[in-house]
Amino acid sequence: MNHYKCTVCGYTYKPERGDWTHDIKANTKFEDLPEAWKCPTCNQPKMAFKEVK
């Protein structure tokens, strides 16, 4: 699974870890995150993220 980085603060969403601050389980793909999900560090929406390889 690919990682996605916030273009504002640099936080990287790693699917294998999930996001415990928003109760997102490990192995949740970025595409499967709720549309209302926001960066846990700076509160930016999903559209502020870019795929990193």
Side-chain angles (χ1 to χ4, degrees):
M1 287 185 266
N2 294 332
H3 295 177
Y4 288 79
K5 189 172 194 172
C6 179
T7 59
V8 175
C9 73
Y11 167 83
T12 301
Y13 176 75
K14 298 178 181 178
E16 62 272 15
R17 292 186 183 170
D19 173 15
W20 65 270
T21 63
H22 291 102
D23 204 26
I24 304 295
K25 295 181 187 242
N27 298 313
T28 300
K29 295 178 186 177
F30 186 81
E31 299 83 18
D32 293 338
L33 292 172
E35 285 305 312
W37 181 84
K38 296 188 184 234
C39 177
T41 302
C42 69
N43 212 33
Q44 293 297 310
K46 282 175 70 173
M47 60 192 270
F49 282 73
K50 298 284 184 194
E51 185 176 2
V52 293
K53 301 193 183 218

